[in-house]
Amino acid sequence: MSTIVETKEFQTEIRQLLDIVIHSLYTDREIFLRELISNAADAMEKLRYTQLVGPEVKDKDLALEVHIDTDDNAHTLTITDTGVGMTKEELVENIGTIAHSGSKEFIKHLSAKGDQKDLNLIGQFGVGFYSAFMVADKVTLYTRSYQMEAECFVWESDGVGSYTITEGEDLTRGTKMVLHLKEDAYDFAKEETIKRVIKQYSSFVPYPIIVNGQKVNTVDALWTKNKNEITDEEYNEFYKFIANAHDEPLFRLHFSSDAPININTLLFVPKENLEQFGFGRTEPGVNLYCKKVLIQEKSPIVLPEWLRFLRGVIDSEELPLNISRETMQDSALVSKLNKVVTSRFLKFLDGQATSEPDKYKEFWEKFNFFIKEGAANDFTHRKELVKILQFESSNTLAGEVISLADYVGRMKEDQTAIYYVNGPTREGIESGPYLEVFRDKGYEVIYTYAAIDDYIFGAIGEYEGKRLISADQSDLDISNEQKDRSELALSEEEVKVLTDWIKEVLGSKVTEVRESKRLVDSPAVVLSPYGTNSMQRMMQLMNKDVNNVGPSVLEINASHQMIKRLDEARKNEDTFAKIAAEQIFENAQIAAGLIIDPRGMVKRLNEILERALG
Ligand code: ADP
Ligand code: MG
């Protein structure tokens, strides 16, 4: 038989990745073993699933096990699994090119960290295979796919620029990887070393791991055990295994129930939210099991999308074992699981907010966006979600938060609604004109920094029977009626003439100019004829048209010196009055967070300065 040797180049990205992997200084390169064992376990999990759903597989009675053999004389480490194996096309696709953007993101992550190369995360980016080259200067991989007609292939590389694929000799289904160790990694050809590393990283692999003929792990479904038989350490180790994590979880929730549905669930909230760091959308991370048999890994349907940050396991005896991925989508049982577990998790969070306030604060800072996403989109759980939302307010310190329930609990006696105002920052909101009337009345105002908060408030409309009202709403009905108009204010007749005149000056930029009953210290404020300014800001962003802010309602403070002087200038037919009116209007727009075209304003400001200095 003539053997054909094909030599192929690695994709550029992989070459870069390999270069880092091979040449970096690292402290815990032993994690390569965790990555390779996890690939072996994945391949066997895939085989088990394939078998479950039907097609005939090669060597169907072959036990699902990982065998690891060390050879201290030849300095090799061999890892063999009986999983799905790979066809030639799969070899090229899975370990020669990168379909997903894992390597690119991983390289980005490494360069962001500077000299301190944290290779530990390699598995989380879907490029764990290459960690073999941390310890080996040559890797030979023998593989045969589970498909009945599949042939055997040998993949080999020194991890530098290229790899070869050769037709191989007959072997049973699965993959065998031989690592030819680097001189400084000979330690990994020692049985004790390998056993220690397995104990540390791979205790929970759900298949037997057999080192030189001896089984070293206990195959254990932790989530089916009794809570008080499990130590914190075991939980954390399990989390590290299932989440491919290297740190400990922030929260864990382990519960079992029989009604309304049989469930064993173990969920973890990670310490970090990778989406926050710009690593793209987090993939769901909860696996669906039936009596310890994996039905769907990283299930996208067993929990709502906004819970994609959770890691863990949901096991239900009631799921039919041979449920297919297609029918699962419509399964009433899966939606019931989804609903029950989600509610339970939300109840758990609500409890943590009181019992573990510091940890909860950390959770909220890192994961609040997911909860808000849920509150905005998930009608089924909206009520429970709104309950755990937290906000800063005019009565809190920066960084301190309250819930809507806290707010309602301390509302003023004459207060009937919940007020909120949106702005980019606390300082921005507090220096703006919108809080003045509330300060005057002693009403608390919730600060919303994210557009999604306003969206949620708009969508729910009320909380516990109290309307949610944006403080910059144009029809706000909270004027200080009982307060007499200041004696110093312009008279009502004067105001009428002045507002008519301003309306004429500003033309189509305003729909209305009127006297304000909400202002104390500011000369003027703009309100949106569409309801709230935040809606207008959003429309501006969506239309990407900064020159077109749309019309506003302008309210003026008839007691303010600036407005009174403006009226005098108008009476004297001073041409400067027009310039001042335009500037007062644009200042109010800026205070509202609207984006305006700066060109006209600079010219005007120069005229104003000239006059002031002149
Ligand atoms: P990930 O495991 O996150 O997909 P890896 O870099 O660890 O990323 O592996 C890349 C791919 O190579 C896997 O998705 C799988 O398709 C394939 N692969 C790796 N090891 C094995 C194996 N032992 N058996 C079958 N396929 C494997
Ligand atoms: Mg992997």
Side-chain angles (χ1 to χ4, degrees), residues 264-305:
N264 271 306
T265 291
L266 179 50
L267 298 175
F268 298 95
V269 175
K271 259 233 168 68
E272 299 300 340
N273 165 14
L274 287 181
E275 278 189 25
Q276 215 177 17
F277 300 133
F279 280 126
R281 200 173 173 80
T282 298
E283 296 293 324
V286 175
N287 299 341
L288 186 58
Y289 282 77
C290 165
K291 292 187 221 149
K292 305 186 199 175
V293 176
L294 183 68
I295 302 294
Q296 190 180 36
E297 199 183 2
K298 302 184 172 140
S299 171
I301 51 172
V302 73
L303 287 176
E305 223 187 319

Side-chain angles (χ1 to χ4, degrees), residues 23-265:
H23 294 114
S24 294
L25 289 174
Y26 26 65
T27 44
D28 47 8
R29 59 180 175 173
E30 62 203 32
I31 54 116
F32 85 93
L33 191 59
R34 173 189 73 194
E35 295 305 326
L36 300 184
I37 290 177
S38 117
N39 282 354
D42 286 351
M44 294 194 292
E45 207 73 75
K46 283 180 200 160
L47 188 98
R48 179 147 75 171
Y49 186 81
T50 310
Q51 249 175 328
L52 215 57
V53 294
E56 202 182 348
V57 303
K58 182 107 190 127
D59 305 319
K60 70 176 170 45
D61 296 323
L62 206 57
L64 294 175
E65 292 172 346
V66 190
H67 285 261
I68 299 182
D69 296 287
T70 57
D71 186 336
D72 207 6
N73 294 319
H75 310 298
T76 59
L77 176 68
T78 304
I79 302 164
T80 312
D81 67 65
T82 51
V84 281
M86 283 177 271
T87 62
K88 190 173 158 193
E89 291 69 38
E90 286 169 336
L91 272 174
V92 174
E93 190 162 308
N94 297 344
I95 51 186
T97 48
I98 294 221
H100 43 179
S101 60
S103 70
K104 209 189 238 158
E105 292 205 344
F106 188 57
I107 292 168
K108 216 165 71 191
H109 166 77
L110 289 178
S111 17
K113 283 219 142 184
D115 292 339
Q116 241 198 323
K117 304 254 180 271
D118 185 5
L119 293 166
N120 204 345
L121 287 173
I122 192 162
Q124 284 181 25
F125 292 84
V127 288
F129 175 83
Y130 304 100
S131 65
F133 291 98
M134 289 180 187
V135 295
D137 46 25
K138 187 168 87 176
V139 173
T140 315
L141 184 148
Y142 305 81
T143 187
R144 174 182 213 135
S145 162
Y146 72 94
Q147 297 168 38
M148 296 306 280
E149 308 304 322
E151 292 163 64
C152 305
F153 292 97
V154 185
W155 180 100
E156 190 166 84
S157 178
D158 58 5
V160 178
S162 60
Y163 59 93
T164 60
I165 295 182
T166 319
E167 283 173 30
E169 306 198 348
D170 229 23
L171 31 95
T172 52
R173 179 200 71 216
T175 303
K176 175 167 93 175
M177 258 179 106
V178 181
L179 276 61
H180 304 269
L181 298 169
K182 294 181 192 175
E183 210 175 315
D184 64 0
Y186 281 176
D187 211 30
F188 294 109
K190 292 197 169 67
E191 186 175 307
E192 316 83 74
T193 312
I194 293 301
K195 280 185 174 165
R196 174 183 60 78
V197 177
I198 291 174
K199 195 162 184 324
Q200 186 173 353
Y201 295 103
S202 306
S203 300
F204 292 99
V205 172
Y207 295 96
I209 301 176
I210 294 157
V211 177
N212 296 337
Q214 194 194 353
K215 189 167 149 213
V216 296
N217 65 330
T218 44
V219 181
D220 205 353
L222 197 69
W223 60 94
T224 58
K225 287 179 36 173
N226 204 315
K227 265 196 222 178
N228 46 33
E229 289 167 9
I230 309 172
T231 63
D232 282 348
E233 227 163 50
E234 283 176 303
Y235 274 127
N236 290 341
E237 287 309 310
F238 181 71
Y239 165 71
K240 288 181 192 174
F241 165 68
I242 195 161
N244 218 335
H246 55 100
D247 51 4
E248 286 170 10
L250 189 58
F251 284 128
R252 80 162 180 256
L253 168 64
H254 185 184
F255 77 95
S256 306
S257 81
D258 288 320
I261 188 169
N262 169 287
I263 308 179
N264 271 306
T265 291

